[in-house]
Each structure stands twice: as C-alpha cells, then as structure tokens.
Amino acid sequence: MDREQKQRLGWVKLYLETGDAGMTCRRCGISRPTLRKWIRRFQAEREDGLRSRSHRPLPTPGQKVQAQQVGWIM
C-alpha cells in the first residue's frame, strides 16, 4: 500500500469511527465530496478501491477522412 492509499484509509477510518463527516473533513483538510468518493470506493472494493485511477479519457472514434482530404494528404 502506497502513501496515498494509507492517507485515504486514515480518512475513511476516522469517518467510520466518528460518524462525523464535517469534523473528518476539517481535520484532514479535504472536501465532503472527496470524502464521500473514498468512502464509496472503500465500501465497494475495500483497500483496493483506495488506489489512484487514471483520468485518461476513453478512446474516441477516429475522425473520418473524406475523399477530398485524402487527395490533399497525398
């Protein structure tokens, strides 16, 4: 488990112990949406859910090249 995962696990454990999202966010310096995201991932996937995920976009279909454009390229 890397440093980020340990930090996120600490946030989730603090929330689960106290049940107070506001206090957890203030103490840890994170926003409520961020805390909710990590809690959801932890509940769904346990510690594996606390890993960072890629923000890379999904592949998009290639642009279609028209016949006239092919002539310009050639």
Side-chain angles (χ1 to χ4, degrees), residues 3 5 13 18-19 28 36-39 43 59-60 66-67:
R3 185 182 61 81
Q5 282 179 282
K13 282 184 177 180
T18 63
C28 299
R36 283 193 297 264
K37 175 176 75 170
W38 295 117
I39 290 168
Q43 289 172 341
T60 57
Q66 297 175 1

Side-chain angles (χ1 to χ4, degrees), residues 11-73:
W11 300 341
V12 172
K13 282 184 177 180
L14 180 61
Y15 170 73
L16 294 175
E17 288 171 5
T18 63
D20 187 350
M23 185 274 300
T24 301
C25 292
R26 282 190 304 276
R27 185 178 289 178
C28 299
I30 58 174
S31 67
R32 284 179 188 240
T34 299
L35 179 62
R36 283 193 297 264
K37 175 176 75 170
W38 295 117
I39 290 168
R40 274 193 311 269
R41 286 190 187 180
F42 181 77
Q43 289 172 341
E45 304 172 39
R46 305 313 295 172
E47 291 182 9
D48 288 338
L50 300 177
R51 281 194 214 132
S52 293
R53 296 183 181 167
S54 172
H55 294 284
R56 183 178 174 189
L58 298 174
T60 57
Q63 293 181 341
K64 295 182 180 179
V65 180
Q66 297 175 1
Q68 184 181 16
Q69 294 170 329
V70 171
W72 293 340
I73 293 170

